[in-house]
PDB file of all heavy atoms in Angstrom:
ATOM      1  N   ASP A  11      -0.181   4.278  -6.646  1.00 98.00           N
ATOM      2  CA  ASP A  11       0.710   3.168  -6.513  1.00 98.00           C
ATOM      3  C   ASP A  11       2.134   3.749  -6.395  1.00 98.00           C
ATOM      4  O   ASP A  11       2.411   4.836  -6.771  1.00 98.00           O
ATOM      5  CB  ASP A  11       0.630   2.253  -7.754  1.00 98.00           C
ATOM      6  CG  ASP A  11      -0.719   1.505  -7.799  1.00 98.00           C
ATOM      7  OD1 ASP A  11      -1.057   0.864  -6.782  1.00 98.00           O
ATOM      8  OD2 ASP A  11      -1.400   1.567  -8.853  1.00 98.00           O
ATOM      9  N   SER A  14       7.680   1.489  -1.451  1.00 87.00           N
ATOM     10  CA  SER A  14       7.517   1.814  -0.024  1.00 87.00           C
ATOM     11  C   SER A  14       8.337   3.116   0.272  1.00 87.00           C
ATOM     12  O   SER A  14       9.407   3.353  -0.303  1.00 87.00           O
ATOM     13  CB  SER A  14       8.060   0.701   0.827  1.00 87.00           C
ATOM     14  OG  SER A  14       9.375   0.381   0.461  1.00 87.00           O
ATOM     15  N   LYS A  18       3.128   7.574   0.035  1.00 94.00           N
ATOM     16  CA  LYS A  18       1.818   7.232  -0.431  1.00 94.00           C
ATOM     17  C   LYS A  18       0.734   7.366   0.668  1.00 94.00           C
ATOM     18  O   LYS A  18      -0.300   7.933   0.399  1.00 94.00           O
ATOM     19  CB  LYS A  18       1.750   5.773  -0.967  1.00 94.00           C
ATOM     20  CG  LYS A  18       2.523   5.525  -2.195  1.00 94.00           C
ATOM     21  CD  LYS A  18       2.160   4.169  -2.801  1.00 94.00           C
ATOM     22  CE  LYS A  18       2.341   2.997  -1.814  1.00 94.00           C
ATOM     23  NZ  LYS A  18       3.712   2.671  -1.432  1.00 94.00           N
ATOM     24  N   SER A  19       1.034   6.821   1.872  1.00 93.00           N
ATOM     25  CA  SER A  19      -0.007   6.786   2.889  1.00 93.00           C
ATOM     26  C   SER A  19      -0.450   8.181   3.301  1.00 93.00           C
ATOM     27  O   SER A  19      -1.616   8.534   3.269  1.00 93.00           O
ATOM     28  CB  SER A  19       0.502   6.043   4.138  1.00 93.00           C
ATOM     29  OG  SER A  19       0.819   4.765   3.748  1.00 93.00           O
ATOM     30  N   ASP A  35      -6.133   1.599   2.393  1.00 98.00           N
ATOM     31  CA  ASP A  35      -4.722   1.262   2.535  1.00 98.00           C
ATOM     32  C   ASP A  35      -4.567  -0.261   2.290  1.00 98.00           C
ATOM     33  O   ASP A  35      -4.735  -1.014   3.193  1.00 98.00           O
ATOM     34  CB  ASP A  35      -4.331   1.643   4.013  1.00 98.00           C
ATOM     35  CG  ASP A  35      -2.881   1.212   4.346  1.00 98.00           C
ATOM     36  OD1 ASP A  35      -2.203   0.591   3.533  1.00 98.00           O
ATOM     37  OD2 ASP A  35      -2.492   1.496   5.516  1.00 98.00           O
ATOM     38  N   THR A  36      -4.247  -0.593   1.036  1.00 98.00           N
ATOM     39  CA  THR A  36      -4.268  -2.077   0.727  1.00 98.00           C
ATOM     40  C   THR A  36      -2.978  -2.716   1.240  1.00 98.00           C
ATOM     41  O   THR A  36      -2.994  -3.929   1.483  1.00 98.00           O
ATOM     42  CB  THR A  36      -4.379  -2.309  -0.779  1.00 98.00           C
ATOM     43  OG1 THR A  36      -3.212  -1.727  -1.482  1.00 98.00           O
ATOM     44  CG2 THR A  36      -5.608  -1.729  -1.345  1.00 98.00           C
ATOM     45  N   GLY A  37      -1.906  -1.962   1.522  1.00 97.00           N
ATOM     46  CA  GLY A  37      -0.706  -2.537   2.100  1.00 97.00           C
ATOM     47  C   GLY A  37      -1.058  -3.124   3.448  1.00 97.00           C
ATOM     48  O   GLY A  37      -0.520  -4.190   3.868  1.00 97.00           O
ATOM     49  N   ALA A  38      -1.943  -2.489   4.222  1.00 98.00           N
ATOM     50  CA  ALA A  38      -2.330  -2.949   5.529  1.00 98.00           C
ATOM     51  C   ALA A  38      -2.948  -4.327   5.436  1.00 98.00           C
ATOM     52  O   ALA A  38      -2.750  -5.208   6.301  1.00 98.00           O
ATOM     53  CB  ALA A  38      -3.316  -1.977   6.255  1.00 98.00           C
ATOM     54  N   TYR A  40      -2.272  -6.698   3.153  1.00 98.00           N
ATOM     55  CA  TYR A  40      -1.176  -7.648   2.939  1.00 98.00           C
ATOM     56  C   TYR A  40      -0.393  -7.885   4.232  1.00 98.00           C
ATOM     57  O   TYR A  40       0.061  -8.980   4.540  1.00 98.00           O
ATOM     58  CB  TYR A  40      -0.208  -7.214   1.816  1.00 98.00           C
ATOM     59  CG  TYR A  40      -0.849  -7.480   0.495  1.00 98.00           C
ATOM     60  CD1 TYR A  40      -1.571  -6.445  -0.219  1.00 98.00           C
ATOM     61  CD2 TYR A  40      -0.798  -8.705  -0.143  1.00 98.00           C
ATOM     62  CE1 TYR A  40      -2.191  -6.714  -1.381  1.00 98.00           C
ATOM     63  CE2 TYR A  40      -1.425  -8.967  -1.351  1.00 98.00           C
ATOM     64  CZ  TYR A  40      -2.113  -7.959  -1.982  1.00 98.00           C
ATOM     65  OH  TYR A  40      -2.729  -8.211  -3.184  1.00 98.00           O
ATOM     66  N   ARG A  41      -0.256  -6.783   5.062  1.00 98.00           N
ATOM     67  CA  ARG A  41       0.459  -6.975   6.294  1.00 98.00           C
ATOM     68  C   ARG A  41      -0.339  -7.849   7.264  1.00 98.00           C
ATOM     69  O   ARG A  41       0.259  -8.648   8.025  1.00 98.00           O
ATOM     70  CB  ARG A  41       0.665  -5.613   6.922  1.00 98.00           C
ATOM     71  CG  ARG A  41       1.794  -4.820   6.235  1.00 98.00           C
ATOM     72  CD  ARG A  41       1.848  -3.343   6.738  1.00 98.00           C
ATOM     73  NE  ARG A  41       2.807  -2.582   5.923  1.00 98.00           N
ATOM     74  CZ  ARG A  41       4.034  -2.274   6.381  1.00 98.00           C
ATOM     75  NH1 ARG A  41       4.450  -2.652   7.610  1.00 98.00           N
ATOM     76  NH2 ARG A  41       4.888  -1.597   5.625  1.00 98.00           N
ATOM     77  N   ARG A  97       3.190  -3.081  11.731  1.00 91.00           N
ATOM     78  CA  ARG A  97       4.009  -2.055  11.182  1.00 91.00           C
ATOM     79  C   ARG A  97       5.534  -2.282  11.361  1.00 91.00           C
ATOM     80  O   ARG A  97       6.310  -1.412  11.028  1.00 91.00           O
ATOM     81  CB  ARG A  97       3.667  -0.687  11.796  1.00 91.00           C
ATOM     82  CG  ARG A  97       2.228  -0.249  11.486  1.00 91.00           C
ATOM     83  CD  ARG A  97       1.996   0.106  10.048  1.00 91.00           C
ATOM     84  NE  ARG A  97       0.599   0.277   9.736  1.00 91.00           N
ATOM     85  CZ  ARG A  97       0.092   0.343   8.484  1.00 91.00           C
ATOM     86  NH1 ARG A  97       0.854   0.299   7.447  1.00 91.00           N
ATOM     87  NH2 ARG A  97      -1.220   0.461   8.326  1.00 91.00           N
ATOM     88  N   MET A 101       7.181  -7.436   9.596  1.00 94.00           N
ATOM     89  CA  MET A 101       5.926  -7.603   8.951  1.00 94.00           C
ATOM     90  C   MET A 101       5.815  -6.992   7.558  1.00 94.00           C
ATOM     91  O   MET A 101       5.077  -7.399   6.711  1.00 94.00           O
ATOM     92  CB  MET A 101       4.787  -7.039   9.874  1.00 94.00           C
ATOM     93  CG  MET A 101       4.465  -7.951  10.997  1.00 94.00           C
ATOM     94  SD  MET A 101       4.132  -9.665  10.395  1.00 94.00           S
ATOM     95  CE  MET A 101       5.363 -10.544  11.298  1.00 94.00           C
ATOM     96  N   ALA A 102       6.669  -5.945   7.386  1.00 91.00           N
ATOM     97  CA  ALA A 102       6.745  -5.408   6.030  1.00 91.00           C
ATOM     98  C   ALA A 102       7.290  -6.437   5.054  1.00 91.00           C
ATOM     99  O   ALA A 102       6.760  -6.667   3.979  1.00 91.00           O
ATOM    100  CB  ALA A 102       7.688  -4.166   6.020  1.00 91.00           C
ATOM    101  N   ALA A 105       4.720  -9.202   4.597  1.00 96.00           N
ATOM    102  CA  ALA A 105       3.667  -8.797   3.672  1.00 96.00           C
ATOM    103  C   ALA A 105       4.117  -8.926   2.256  1.00 96.00           C
ATOM    104  O   ALA A 105       3.449  -9.392   1.342  1.00 96.00           O
ATOM    105  CB  ALA A 105       3.225  -7.364   3.973  1.00 96.00           C
ATOM    106  N   SER A 106       5.384  -8.503   2.039  1.00 93.00           N
ATOM    107  CA  SER A 106       5.933  -8.594   0.663  1.00 93.00           C
ATOM    108  C   SER A 106       6.008 -10.054   0.203  1.00 93.00           C
ATOM    109  O   SER A 106       5.716 -10.395  -0.911  1.00 93.00           O
ATOM    110  CB  SER A 106       7.341  -7.948   0.685  1.00 93.00           C
ATOM    111  OG  SER A 106       7.879  -7.944  -0.618  1.00 93.00           O
ATOM    112  N   SER A 109       2.572 -11.413  -0.558  1.00 96.00           N
ATOM    113  CA  SER A 109       1.994 -10.738  -1.708  1.00 96.00           C
ATOM    114  C   SER A 109       2.335 -11.315  -3.035  1.00 96.00           C
ATOM    115  O   SER A 109       1.772 -11.039  -4.047  1.00 96.00           O
ATOM    116  CB  SER A 109       2.306  -9.256  -1.689  1.00 96.00           C
ATOM    117  OG  SER A 109       3.617  -9.017  -2.121  1.00 96.00           O
ATOM    118  N   ARG A 115      -3.204 -12.797  -3.507  1.00 97.00           N
ATOM    119  CA  ARG A 115      -3.530 -11.690  -4.360  1.00 97.00           C
ATOM    120  C   ARG A 115      -4.983 -11.796  -4.821  1.00 97.00           C
ATOM    121  O   ARG A 115      -5.710 -10.835  -4.878  1.00 97.00           O
ATOM    122  CB  ARG A 115      -2.613 -11.641  -5.628  1.00 97.00           C
ATOM    123  CG  ARG A 115      -1.164 -11.295  -5.312  1.00 97.00           C
ATOM    124  CD  ARG A 115      -0.523 -10.463  -6.378  1.00 97.00           C
ATOM    125  NE  ARG A 115      -0.874  -9.091  -6.190  1.00 97.00           N
ATOM    126  CZ  ARG A 115      -0.257  -8.246  -5.373  1.00 97.00           C
ATOM    127  NH1 ARG A 115       0.726  -8.635  -4.627  1.00 97.00           N
ATOM    128  NH2 ARG A 115      -0.697  -7.019  -5.288  1.00 97.00           N
ATOM    129  N   GLN A 122     -10.684  -5.885  -2.191  1.00 98.00           N
ATOM    130  CA  GLN A 122     -10.471  -4.466  -2.554  1.00 98.00           C
ATOM    131  C   GLN A 122     -11.481  -3.959  -3.621  1.00 98.00           C
ATOM    132  O   GLN A 122     -11.985  -2.853  -3.524  1.00 98.00           O
ATOM    133  CB  GLN A 122      -9.015  -4.310  -3.058  1.00 98.00           C
ATOM    134  CG  GLN A 122      -7.999  -4.525  -1.929  1.00 98.00           C
ATOM    135  CD  GLN A 122      -6.638  -5.010  -2.448  1.00 98.00           C
ATOM    136  OE1 GLN A 122      -6.351  -4.955  -3.637  1.00 98.00           O
ATOM    137  NE2 GLN A 122      -5.796  -5.365  -1.507  1.00 98.00           N
ATOM    138  N   GLU A 134      -4.677   3.058  -2.275  1.00 98.00           N
ATOM    139  CA  GLU A 134      -3.195   3.098  -2.287  1.00 98.00           C
ATOM    140  C   GLU A 134      -2.621   1.681  -2.238  1.00 98.00           C
ATOM    141  O   GLU A 134      -3.103   0.832  -1.548  1.00 98.00           O
ATOM    142  CB  GLU A 134      -2.750   3.875  -1.056  1.00 98.00           C
ATOM    143  CG  GLU A 134      -1.318   3.857  -0.821  1.00 98.00           C
ATOM    144  CD  GLU A 134      -0.938   3.658   0.643  1.00 98.00           C
ATOM    145  OE1 GLU A 134      -1.713   4.126   1.538  1.00 98.00           O
ATOM    146  OE2 GLU A 134       0.090   3.061   0.921  1.00 98.00           O
ATOM    147  N   GLY A 135      -1.566   1.425  -3.076  1.00 97.00           N
ATOM    148  CA  GLY A 135      -0.912   0.145  -3.034  1.00 97.00           C
ATOM    149  C   GLY A 135       0.152   0.002  -4.049  1.00 97.00           C
ATOM    150  O   GLY A 135       0.970   0.916  -4.298  1.00 97.00           O
ATOM    151  N   ARG A 136       0.244  -1.168  -4.692  1.00 95.00           N
ATOM    152  CA  ARG A 136       1.264  -1.409  -5.757  1.00 95.00           C
ATOM    153  C   ARG A 136       0.620  -1.703  -7.064  1.00 95.00           C
ATOM    154  O   ARG A 136       1.253  -1.464  -8.113  1.00 95.00           O
ATOM    155  CB  ARG A 136       2.093  -2.664  -5.356  1.00 95.00           C
ATOM    156  CG  ARG A 136       2.796  -2.573  -3.972  1.00 95.00           C
ATOM    157  CD  ARG A 136       3.869  -1.508  -4.011  1.00 95.00           C
ATOM    158  NE  ARG A 136       4.694  -1.568  -2.789  1.00 95.00           N
ATOM    159  CZ  ARG A 136       4.306  -1.202  -1.553  1.00 95.00           C
ATOM    160  NH1 ARG A 136       3.061  -0.742  -1.360  1.00 95.00           N
ATOM    161  NH2 ARG A 136       5.112  -1.244  -0.510  1.00 95.00           N
ATOM    162  N   ASP A 137      -0.633  -2.244  -7.047  1.00 97.00           N
ATOM    163  CA  ASP A 137      -1.238  -2.696  -8.311  1.00 97.00           C
ATOM    164  C   ASP A 137      -2.678  -2.127  -8.477  1.00 97.00           C
ATOM    165  O   ASP A 137      -3.534  -2.772  -9.057  1.00 97.00           O
ATOM    166  CB  ASP A 137      -1.285  -4.214  -8.361  1.00 97.00           C
ATOM    167  CG  ASP A 137      -2.086  -4.794  -7.185  1.00 97.00           C
ATOM    168  OD1 ASP A 137      -2.295  -4.092  -6.161  1.00 97.00           O
ATOM    169  OD2 ASP A 137      -2.515  -5.922  -7.268  1.00 97.00           O
ATOM    170  N   MET A 138      -2.946  -1.030  -7.821  1.00 98.00           N
ATOM    171  CA  MET A 138      -4.296  -0.486  -7.843  1.00 98.00           C
ATOM    172  C   MET A 138      -4.716  -0.060  -9.262  1.00 98.00           C
ATOM    173  O   MET A 138      -5.777  -0.364  -9.752  1.00 98.00           O
ATOM    174  CB  MET A 138      -4.439   0.687  -6.863  1.00 98.00           C
ATOM    175  CG  MET A 138      -4.285   0.348  -5.416  1.00 98.00           C
ATOM    176  SD  MET A 138      -5.568  -0.801  -4.917  1.00 98.00           S
ATOM    177  CE  MET A 138      -4.623  -2.288  -4.815  1.00 98.00           C
ATOM    178  N   VAL A 142      -6.103  -4.042 -10.005  1.00 98.00           N
ATOM    179  CA  VAL A 142      -7.301  -4.131  -9.164  1.00 98.00           C
ATOM    180  C   VAL A 142      -8.388  -3.203  -9.632  1.00 98.00           C
ATOM    181  O   VAL A 142      -9.555  -3.566  -9.792  1.00 98.00           O
ATOM    182  CB  VAL A 142      -6.938  -3.821  -7.675  1.00 98.00           C
ATOM    183  CG1 VAL A 142      -8.200  -3.872  -6.774  1.00 98.00           C
ATOM    184  CG2 VAL A 142      -5.902  -4.761  -7.169  1.00 98.00           C
ATOM    185  N   ARG A 186      13.040  -4.782  -0.632  1.00 90.00           N
ATOM    186  CA  ARG A 186      11.574  -4.878  -0.763  1.00 90.00           C
ATOM    187  C   ARG A 186      11.129  -4.398  -2.133  1.00 90.00           C
ATOM    188  O   ARG A 186      10.301  -5.042  -2.798  1.00 90.00           O
ATOM    189  CB  ARG A 186      10.884  -4.144   0.343  1.00 90.00           C
ATOM    190  CG  ARG A 186       9.418  -4.499   0.512  1.00 90.00           C
ATOM    191  CD  ARG A 186       9.028  -4.583   1.960  1.00 90.00           C
ATOM    192  NE  ARG A 186       8.987  -3.275   2.569  1.00 90.00           N
ATOM    193  CZ  ARG A 186       7.889  -2.496   2.699  1.00 90.00           C
ATOM    194  NH1 ARG A 186       6.729  -2.917   2.172  1.00 90.00           N
ATOM    195  NH2 ARG A 186       7.920  -1.371   3.293  1.00 90.00           N
ATOM    196  N   ASP A 190       9.105  -6.617  -4.798  1.00 90.00           N
ATOM    197  CA  ASP A 190       7.754  -6.183  -5.222  1.00 90.00           C
ATOM    198  C   ASP A 190       7.700  -5.912  -6.753  1.00 90.00           C
ATOM    199  O   ASP A 190       6.673  -6.095  -7.396  1.00 90.00           O
ATOM    200  CB  ASP A 190       7.331  -4.902  -4.522  1.00 90.00           C
ATOM    201  CG  ASP A 190       7.083  -5.146  -3.036  1.00 90.00           C
ATOM    202  OD1 ASP A 190       6.910  -6.301  -2.646  1.00 90.00           O
ATOM    203  OD2 ASP A 190       7.052  -4.171  -2.208  1.00 90.00           O
ATOM    204  N   ARG A 193       8.253  -9.651  -8.970  1.00 89.00           N
ATOM    205  CA  ARG A 193       7.380 -10.818  -8.911  1.00 89.00           C
ATOM    206  C   ARG A 193       6.581 -10.863 -10.250  1.00 89.00           C
ATOM    207  O   ARG A 193       6.340  -9.835 -10.908  1.00 89.00           O
ATOM    208  CB  ARG A 193       6.466 -10.758  -7.716  1.00 89.00           C
ATOM    209  CG  ARG A 193       5.532  -9.556  -7.732  1.00 89.00           C
ATOM    210  CD  ARG A 193       4.503  -9.619  -6.650  1.00 89.00           C
ATOM    211  NE  ARG A 193       3.677  -8.437  -6.774  1.00 89.00           N
ATOM    212  CZ  ARG A 193       3.445  -7.522  -5.814  1.00 89.00           C
ATOM    213  NH1 ARG A 193       4.020  -7.686  -4.608  1.00 89.00           N
ATOM    214  NH2 ARG A 193       2.662  -6.515  -5.974  1.00 89.00           N
ATOM    215  N   ALA A 196       1.171  -9.208 -10.808  1.00 88.00           N
ATOM    216  CA  ALA A 196       0.868  -7.836 -10.411  1.00 88.00           C
ATOM    217  C   ALA A 196       2.126  -7.108  -9.852  1.00 88.00           C
ATOM    218  O   ALA A 196       2.088  -6.612  -8.789  1.00 88.00           O
ATOM    219  CB  ALA A 196      -0.246  -7.793  -9.382  1.00 88.00           C
TER     220      ALA A 196
HETATM  221  O1   DC B   1       2.433  -0.307   1.421  1.00 91.07           O
HETATM  222  P1   DC B   1       2.986  -1.319   2.475  1.00 91.07           P
HETATM  223  O2   DC B   1       4.424  -1.009   2.734  1.00 91.07           O
HETATM  224  O3   DC B   1       2.179  -1.329   3.728  1.00 91.07           O
HETATM  225  O4   DC B   1       2.852  -2.715   1.750  1.00 91.07           O
HETATM  226  C1   DC B   1       3.385  -3.904   2.302  1.00 91.07           C
HETATM  227  C2   DC B   1       3.717  -4.962   1.254  1.00 91.07           C
HETATM  228  O5   DC B   1       2.484  -5.409   0.662  1.00 91.07           O
HETATM  229  C3   DC B   1       4.531  -4.433   0.089  1.00 91.07           C
HETATM  230  O6   DC B   1       5.916  -4.705   0.264  1.00 91.07           O
HETATM  231  C4   DC B   1       3.984  -5.172  -1.076  1.00 91.07           C
HETATM  232  C5   DC B   1       2.616  -5.613  -0.725  1.00 91.07           C
HETATM  233  N1   DC B   1       1.531  -4.922  -1.390  1.00 91.07           N
HETATM  234  C6   DC B   1       1.154  -5.460  -2.655  1.00 91.07           C
HETATM  235  O7   DC B   1       1.791  -6.357  -3.137  1.00 91.07           O
HETATM  236  N2   DC B   1       0.110  -4.905  -3.285  1.00 91.07           N
HETATM  237  C7   DC B   1      -0.582  -3.860  -2.805  1.00 91.07           C
HETATM  238  N3   DC B   1      -1.597  -3.344  -3.457  1.00 91.07           N
HETATM  239  C8   DC B   1      -0.170  -3.325  -1.547  1.00 91.07           C
HETATM  240  C9   DC B   1       0.884  -3.873  -0.877  1.00 91.07           C
END
Side-chain angles (χ1 to χ4, degrees):
D11 291 306
S14 55
K18 291 192 306 293
S19 301
D35 174 359
T36 63
Y40 284 94
R41 285 171 185 259
R97 298 294 168 190
M101 282 310 120
S106 182
S109 77
R115 295 216 78 83
Q122 291 154 11
E134 172 222 328
R136 303 292 189 289
D137 60 341
M138 294 297 107
V142 180
R186 196 142 68 94
D190 292 344
R193 63 173 181 235

